[in-house]
Structures are given as C-alpha cells and as structure tokens.
Amino acid sequence: MAESKLTGDVFYPPEEIIRHAHARDWGTMAAAAEKDLEGFWAKEANELHWFEHWEKVLDESKKPFYQWFVGGKTNIAYNCLDRHTATARRNKLALMWEGEKGEFRSFSYFALRREVCRFANILRSLGVQKGDRVTIYMGRIPELPIAMLACARIGAIHSVVYGGFTVEALAERIDDSQSKVLITCDGAYQRGKVVPLKQIADEALQRAATVESVLVVRRTGEPVNMEQGRDMWYHELMALPIAGNSCHIETMDAEDPLFLLYTSGTTGKPKAILHTHGGYMVGTYTTLKYVFDIHDADRYWCAADPGWITGHSYIVYGPLLNGATSFMYEGAPTYPYPNRWWSMIEKYGINILYTAPTAIRGLMRFGEAWPNRYDLSSLRLLGSVGEPINPEAWKWYHRVIGKGKCPIMDTWWQTETGMFMITPFPSVPLKPGSGTRPFPGVKMDIYNEEGKPVGIDEEGFLVITTPWPAMMRTIYKDPERYVNQYWSKYPGAYLTGDSAKRDVDGYFWVIGRVDDVLKVSGYRLGTAEIESALVSHPAVAEAAAIGLPHEVKGNAIHAYVILKTGIEKHDRLEEELRNHVAHEMGPIAKPETIQFVDSLPKTRSGKIMRRVLKARALGQEPKDLSTLEE
Ligand code: WT7
C-alpha cells in the first residue's frame, strides 16, 4: 500500500521507532501470513517450549470447534517462568508492583517461579487436580498472578472474578464453574478505602455451595471472619514444609483448558469463555511481541485489572511469555492526586503504557499541568483498548503523554478473541480513532444484513473470517450457545457483536456494540444482568437498562423500573435500588439514574425494546416500530 497517500488525519511513526521494531514491515509479514497461515503461526509457536511437538497446526474438521497445535504438549506456566529461569533472564524482574499506599514489591523470574511452585504445591495438597476449577477473587496484588500461574502449573482451570464485582455476580460464577476452591483476600484498597472482599465472598458462598476451601491472602489486615475447616490464611499455608520450592509441572495438551473467564452476552447469565494452553499461548505471545514491540530492557505497564481479559493476556501471560518486566499498580489513577500514574512512570522508567480511553478521558479532565510536572521521556509506545477512542482523547494522549513521539496502539479485541485482532504495529501510520487493520493472518470483514461485504465508509456487522490461535474454544458447558451466538448469523464467519466501517485505505473504524451489551468505562456489562439485579429487589416488578453517552465513561447506565402493585414510590427508593444493584453485581453496574414508569415498550412476543427507550431518552424518533406491541 502506498502509505504516503493515506487520507484524513494521519500520524506517521518516528524513524527510530521503526528502526527499533521487531516488525518493520507490516506488509511483508501480512503477505507471508496470507500465503501460509499455518506456517506463519508455526514459526511463532516454535519460539516457545513444547514437551512434544504438534502434529497439525490447525484442524478445521470440527469447525467452528477449531483446534490448534493438535497433538502438541506444553504448559503455558512453563513458558512463562521455567523457560526464562533456565537462561540469563533468571534474575530479571518479571513483576513489579506498587500498592495504593506506595509500597513496592518485585519478583525476579526466579522468585516468581518459586512463589508459583510453592502455591501450586499447596493447591495440590488440598486435592486440586488437573481439570478442576478454581475461582480467584482478589484485588490487584501480586498474589493474583501467582494464583493464576499456580493453577496453570498443575493443570487446574482458573476462573478469575473481577474484584469490583460483588455478591450475586461472584456466587453465579462460582456456581456455574462448580469451583471447589476459592482464593481471595481480606480486602482490597481502592481510593483509600477498603473493599471487604472476604466479607462479600462469605455472603456469596451462602448462595454457592460447591466451595470446600477458601484461601485468604492478608492484604489490609482488617478483621475478617475465618470459618474453621474451610478458610485458611495464604501466608500460613505458604510457610508449611509441603510448600516446597519446586513443583512437578503438569504436561498439558495444547487443547487442554487453561481458564474460564465470564463475560456478558446479549441475554441471560454471563457466559464462561474457555481458553486453552496452546493456541492462547501462541496468540498472546506473538501479538504482544509485535504490537508493543517487547524488548528485554523494557518496562511494560498494562494498567488494566487482571480480572478481565486484558489483564489475563497482557498483564500476566503475554508479558511473561515474552520475558518482559510487567508492572502492576493496585489502586486508582487519581489516588491520592491526579499525578499518580505520571509519577509512577517517572519513578519506574516505564517504556510502554497500555490503558483504556475512559482512563485517558478521566485524567484529561484534570489538565496538562499534572503530567507536565513529570519526566515521561522513558515512554516509547502507548496503547488503548476497551472501546472506541475519541480523536480528542487520542490527540491529548499522543501530545501530552507521548510528547508527539509515541505511536498509540489502539487494539480492538474481545474476551472471546483472547488476543489483539485489529491493531496497528509501531511502524504503521496511524489515524486517531482507528485500530488500522487486522493482525497479520487475521481476516476480518464488515457485512450487511445479508452477509455481503459493505462498501467503503458504510456501516455493517464486524466479522472474523479466519480462525486464529487464541480464539475461544467454546462456552464452558454450553457448546450450543457458542455455535448459535457466534457462528450462526453468517456461515463460516465469527460474529463479533460490533458494528464498524472501513475507509478507502482499508483502515477499520469500530463504532460499538450492536447488541444488548454495554461498555461502561470500558467494562463489559449485559443489560440483562443489571435488570435481573434490579428485579431481585422486593419492590421491583420489571426493569429495563440502557446505555446513554457519557463524557468520561463512554456509556452510563440508565434504568427504568416498574414497581410491584401496592408499592409506593418514596424519596429514598431510587437510591435504595441503585445501592441494591451495587451490592448484588458491583459498583460498576450501579445505574446513574432510575426512572419509575408504568409500562415498558415491548414486542408482541414480550421482549423489551431497549432501542425505543434509548431513542426517547436521546430525544430522537425511534426507527422501525413495526414490532412494537402498542
Ligand atoms: C468489546 C469487547 C479486549 C479487551 C477489553 C475488552 C470493545 C475493545 C476496542 C477498541 C473499539 C473496542 C468492542 C468489543 N472494544 N477494544 N480498541 N476500539 N472498541 O474486552 O470486555 O470482551 O469487550 O470491547 O465493543 O466487542 P471485552
């Protein structure tokens, strides 16, 4: 492509960034992957360690249940740790961590491997075996990645529940995964306050009966209830002689499950997305290496939470697979002041910062003086993920944080895709608001209702038309839903649930969700879950939730509620219902406003027409009312 003739607002990468990059020439790489997809991924996979080599890179015979590196034996935890401790990277920092109160902890690859081994031995001694599910519910502390890697080491399937979720969300996820072990902490610091995670977990465990052992990390020191015979302190277990420094590693089939991660869908309960040891490992390793151009001397910071896919792939697995130094920060970006992030970049010499548009917009509000007080010259690359980034925020990030010299990697992907799908490389020209093009080897398209590619600048359904190694394998326990949800609208194409456009240069512009999934501050929530939390309150008969544009959050939740007959609306009821949602699901799901109504617009078959509510709230005429009941 004649990159010099790109249209619109274009930012060209600085020469030294291109010279430094693992992939200087996107076009050659994309062409190679196009010509030989299996060869492209096999070459990357060969940079990692396999106990036994695979027989076939890609098996499409059971599609859409694609299989990758069939017959290969490996373990992702081996590749994250043991592969490096066998080399000079042994004493390199794997993980650096700063607590909200300013404490600092770090782990070399050697030390991290030791902690993981010790904890893996504890899990084994509690009877956790290959294939067992373990729920992890913690704040952003080093024990969270340690617990994930310990599970992977012994072949247990981890299911991390974001620490910002609360009682019902946690109970539902424990119950669906039938976890026997829960790993949590006494509490988590967030904006100077303590979130009582153990107390929330205790309440959730009354609703989910499968858990036999609860392992509790002491973080805050606040008093917690420890149930005899069930609850054990992590630090006490880790001091036992059985927590030896080495631990036999489980040999995993490439297709063996690595983790479940619950995410919100269009309807009903959250679904458990299943990822595997082999393909997920190759996908996250390769994408991080090329997109954030990981080199040995780098200090890389992904500011997401390990409880979401971004943290799984790009705080924990991707960086460690690449032998990088991954930095993790416990608390809020503005605690105690809006300089917190910038001061840590200066203090630790961070080279790569990967965050979400909502965080950028939030920090932008405080003005340039905060970042300008710090030396941010260590930064080389910036990243964005979670929702479309508005050009204004992009330009601020580029100019004020990146000083005009750091390309922004706007990465589009999903819990389901496991890895970056539409993403720039450091060497490609950027347009603010576009993630540029699909990763080499990934083919994507934009279809109209009939499954035909739309024209230039036309909006349509974003689909993926090639398999990729880190793709989800199924929805845990619900393969039918996997097929129906993702693979049935268009034959042979994976439906992302997003709408997008493509411009004359072939650059993709993702617009947003076209289903009942909301992105609130980059967090993915289902309207159905928020509604079900509302309906679980004794005063509520029916509820509908919608997202409306919000300057910082991207979308904010607004809810409509029909009260049960005989219930009188009173002044405190709106507040009570909002708090009820926060208690059941989590503060991130708390509606901004609740409006009490007598009826909701529905289809003749009784489905709530949220788009009608949304159009009315925005003062627009709702389109196509033919299915509306009255
Ligand atoms: C949805 C997936 C994958 C990491 C975090 C989110 C939206 C994600 C972008 C981006 C525009 C984006 C999409 C997608 N999204 N990244 N760079 N530009 N939209 O994972 O919670 O599974 O959400 O996030 O709508 O479908 P997730």
Side-chain angles (χ1 to χ4, degrees), residues 415-437:
T415 307
E416 292 89 338
T417 70
M419 65 179 222
F420 306 148
M421 298 300 279
I422 300 175
T423 175
F425 272 33
S427 56
V428 310
L430 303 172
K431 302 187 190 189
S434 166
T436 76
R437 291 160 296 194

Side-chain angles (χ1 to χ4, degrees), residues 263 308-310 384-389 410-416 496 498 510 512-513 519 522 524:
T263 193
W308 299 87
I309 193 68
T310 312
S384 173
V385 63
E387 57 180 316
I389 181 165
D410 177 1
T411 60
W412 179 95
W413 58 298
Q414 308 179 301
T415 307
E416 292 89 338
T496 65
D498 282 12
V510 172
R513 301 290 309 189
K519 297 292 290 197
R524 177 163 160 183

Side-chain angles (χ1 to χ4, degrees), residues 262-281:
Y262 286 84
T263 193
S264 304
T266 302
T267 51
K269 288 190 171 190
K271 49 196 174 179
I273 304 301
L274 187 137
H275 283 289
T276 58
H277 272 255
Y280 175 81
M281 169 174 85

Side-chain angles (χ1 to χ4, degrees), residues 151-211:
C151 288
R153 190 167 187 96
I154 62 171
I157 304 169
H158 59 71
S159 164
V160 181
V161 178
Y162 170 57
F165 279 131
T166 48
V167 181
E168 182 57 24
L170 176 60
E172 216 168 58
R173 285 159 176 78
I174 292 174
D175 189 57
D176 185 78
S177 64
Q178 301 279 295
S179 293
K180 276 187 289 187
V181 174
L182 171 69
I183 308 166
T184 185
C185 44
D186 52 0
Y189 288 112
Q190 201 44 249
R191 286 195 181 83
K193 295 202 187 81
V194 171
V195 184
L197 294 187
K198 175 64 166 65
Q199 196 188 311
I200 295 168
D202 284 339
E203 208 179 323
L205 290 177
Q206 289 172 4
R207 305 184 194 176
T210 54
V211 170

